[in-house]
Amino acid sequence: MPQALKLAVAQSRTLSTTTETLEALNSTTQDAEQQGIHLVLFPEAYLGGYPRTCTFGAAVGARDPAGREQFLQYFHSAVDLGDTPVGAGNEWVERKLPIAKDKEHRGDGTREKLERIARDTGVFVVTGLVERAGGSLYCAVVYVCPKLGVIGKRRKVMPTGSERLIWAQGSPSTLKAVTTTIAGVRLTLAAAICWENYMPLLRYSLYSQNVNLYLAPTADARDTWLPLMRTIACEGRTVVLSANQCVRRRNLPKWIRGDQSMDKEHKNGSAPQQVKPSRRRSSTITKTEDNHEINWPSSGIQSDVERHANGSLSMEGLHLEAPQTPRRRSVITRTADNHEIVLPAAPASIAEKPVTDDEDDEDDEDDEDDEDDDFVSQGGSCIIDPMGTVLAGPLWKAEDGGLLTAEVDFEDCERGRLDLDVAGSYSRNDAFRLEVTGLDINPPP
């Protein structure tokens, strides 16, 4: 008899507030219940938000006040699950940590809300979130059973790139797989978050625990992600679920958009409008005696050059002879990729009428609207079977794409072990051995 379950990944985006996002998670899980889905995976940092495009005002050796304010907003959007900064492990899972006298539970109630959603729908929920513990943030995943509540949580051990500024490193001990039985099918499941999937030893620590459901919530929408997911499924002979957000720039949470939203409010008269530089600028190109071209802006230095057209101009040690060839006018424009293109200006007889300030503002607004419509993440959620075959997805450019579903026979994991068990018969464990600090990588009982 097939050991089949119906699984789903939710290509859902973080909304403006954590409360709204929790409500959306509840609605999506209810939809999953209506479709007979047993387990659903939500993207990395779904609760709390993935701060895509944020700089937090940081450069090497410097942080600015505006960036600290942005981090404050992000810190407040994170969820408090009542765990400790180090991570209390089973003591947290089993609710053995002390509770304040005036409280019914630890944390802000997010854990309890997730448990209620799973219990009311009968759907096993796995979601990425940003967890606040003490004064630090952690990128985490929680496993929420409809019957038992939260049965495990893990924190990302290796934030990528700029994530390291805002997310602390989680303990490798949280890589522990969890077990559950759904509709008579025994699952051993674990999660690797985003680019942790590029860490071969981390993947192997999960394979060693005999994981048959490998969860990969991510923020990576590159076309290289799908081949990685297929490799992991085939390599580990495991079912792989990967969920990513699909987001247009205009739908980033307000605290991320920050200055952009403020600029638009200024234009509506709620505050003085700041002067913005025009996207177009004129220039004059002259040649030195060595035949090098110099591009002068249309004011300032250019006017000096024009005033000394019959002589020479010296500035900070630079000596320029009067141009020996006629100067030619040009206009510099920028492409969508921010590359400059120098175009010859139209002759005076066919030149366009001067652009008024109002027209220039309208053009800038149109450019902003186009940018707002751009995808900052295009999704790519997918479901892969244990032989590396794509069962569903990848789902591209589908914002609020709903649920991607597939029915999976988990006995395919065992069929695949006929010729490949990378943590067993194909491992040469007499010669190669992996140890993970604080983690027993043997299969759970």
Side-chain angles (χ1 to χ4, degrees):
M1 179 179 178
Q3 297 286 293
L5 293 177
K6 191 172 184 180
L7 310 176
V9 293
Q11 189 155 293
S12 303
R13 63 179 175 88
T14 302
L15 302 181
S16 292
T17 68
T18 302
T19 298
E20 290 178 89
T21 308
L22 267 170
E23 292 173 354
L25 184 148
N26 182 31
S27 177
T28 300
T29 307
Q30 290 175 350
D31 290 343
E33 177 192 15
Q34 294 299 316
Q35 297 182 46
I37 291 167
H38 297 98
L39 180 147
V40 59
L41 172 68
F42 289 86
E44 177 183 19
Y46 178 53
L47 300 179
Y50 187 83
R52 195 179 298 277
T53 74
C54 288
T55 65
F56 295 100
V60 176
R63 268 72 60 195
D64 66 32
R68 295 186 186 279
E69 183 64 27
Q70 192 173 49
F71 179 74
L72 176 66
Q73 299 299 318
Y74 188 45
F75 193 86
H76 288 169
S77 74
V79 300
D80 181 358
L81 299 177
D83 201 356
T84 64
V86 174
N90 286 335
E91 286 193 347
W92 175 79
V93 172
E94 297 170 7
R95 301 179 185 274
K96 293 181 178 179
L97 297 178
I99 300 174
K101 292 181 180 179
D102 59 340
K103 302 289 184 180
E104 296 181 357
H105 49 70
R106 291 177 63 90
D108 62 9
T110 298
R111 172 179 179 168
E112 289 69 26
K113 291 175 183 176
L114 290 171
E115 290 177 333
R116 185 181 67 250
I117 291 170
R119 182 174 61 251
D120 290 348
T121 59
V123 176
F124 195 109
V125 174
V126 183
T127 186
L129 51 83
V130 179
E131 178 189 7
R132 184 174 71 247
S136 293
L137 300 180
Y138 299 85
C139 180
V141 168
V142 289
Y143 314 105
V144 192
C145 174
K147 297 178 181 178
L148 303 176
V150 173
I151 61 173
K153 171 172 66 71
R154 64 149 311 217
R155 292 171 173 171
K156 193 173 187 177
V157 301
M158 190 67 255
T160 301
S162 299
E163 295 171 0
R164 296 173 202 162
L165 175 67
I166 52 172
W167 293 343
Q169 293 179 331
S171 170
S173 64
T174 67
L175 286 163
K176 179 182 178 182
V178 298
T179 60
T180 188
T181 300
I182 302 177
V185 179
R186 179 175 170 79
L187 299 179
T188 301
L189 58 144
I193 305 171
C194 203
W195 273 25
E196 287 183 331
N197 289 281
Y198 283 114
M199 301 172 68
L201 297 183
L202 187 147
R203 297 205 308 263
Y204 190 81
S205 73
L206 303 187
Y207 300 154
S208 295
Q209 297 177 71
N210 203 32
V211 167
N212 62 356
L213 180 55
Y214 186 110
L215 305 163
T218 188
D220 190 340
R222 298 170 179 83
D223 57 8
T224 51
W225 187 253
L226 181 64
L228 176 63
M229 294 298 98
R230 297 187 67 184
T231 296
I232 290 171
C234 183
E235 181 177 67
R237 292 299 196 248
T238 179
V239 177
V240 172
L241 304 184
S242 184
N244 191 10
Q245 301 191 38
C246 180
V247 189
R248 294 181 190 271
R249 189 178 301 276
R250 65 168 178 261
N251 288 327
L252 288 170
K254 292 179 181 178
W255 64 266
I256 290 182
R257 301 187 56 158
D259 292 340
Q260 298 177 27
S261 297
M262 291 172 60
D263 284 344
K264 291 191 176 182
E265 290 174 0
H266 293 165
K267 286 186 178 182
N268 293 332
S270 59
Q273 181 177 342
Q274 296 179 351
V275 176
K276 298 195 311 179
S278 171
R279 294 180 180 273
R280 296 182 299 276
R281 58 185 174 92
S282 298
S283 66
T284 296
I285 295 178
T286 64
K287 289 191 176 183
T288 68
E289 59 183 353
D290 298 324
N291 207 35
H292 296 298
E293 285 192 349
I294 296 181
N295 192 328
W296 300 104
S298 58
S299 61
I301 295 175
Q302 178 195 350
S303 62
D304 291 337
V305 174
E306 291 173 343
R307 284 196 298 270
H308 295 279
N310 297 320
S312 63
L313 173 66
S314 296
M315 183 179 67
E316 296 182 0
L318 178 65
H319 184 78
L320 301 176
E321 296 294 339
Q324 301 301 312
T325 57
R327 295 190 300 272
R328 57 187 175 88
R329 305 286 295 182
S330 67
V331 174
I332 295 180
T333 62
R334 290 181 181 270
T335 69
D337 299 325
N338 208 32
H339 297 299
E340 286 191 348
I341 298 178
V342 181
L343 300 173
S349 59
I350 60 172
E352 297 178 358
K353 67 177 182 178
V355 178
T356 66
D357 289 340
D358 290 341
E359 289 174 331
D360 194 48
D361 287 343
E362 290 174 2
D363 289 342
D364 287 342
E365 289 178 12
D366 290 341
D367 289 341
E368 286 179 1
D369 289 341
D370 290 342
E371 290 177 0
D372 282 352
D373 205 45
D374 290 344
F375 285 99
V376 295
S377 176
Q378 297 187 26
S381 303
C382 58
I383 300 175
I384 318 293
D385 81 1
M387 300 303 289
T389 303
V390 179
L391 299 179
L395 187 60
W396 298 113
K397 294 185 177 181
E399 195 175 31
D400 301 316
L403 294 166
L404 200 61
T405 67
E407 188 165 309
V408 179
D409 182 0
F410 279 86
E411 286 187 335
D412 285 343
C413 299
E414 296 162 355
R415 293 183 180 98
R417 301 295 174 89
L418 170 67
D419 51 5
L420 184 63
D421 181 8
V422 294
S425 63
Y426 216 81
S427 70
R428 282 305 303 272
N429 52 25
D430 58 323
F432 304 101
R433 188 171 302 166
L434 173 65
E435 294 182 359
V436 181
T437 303
L439 177 67
D440 179 5
I441 62 173
N442 287 308

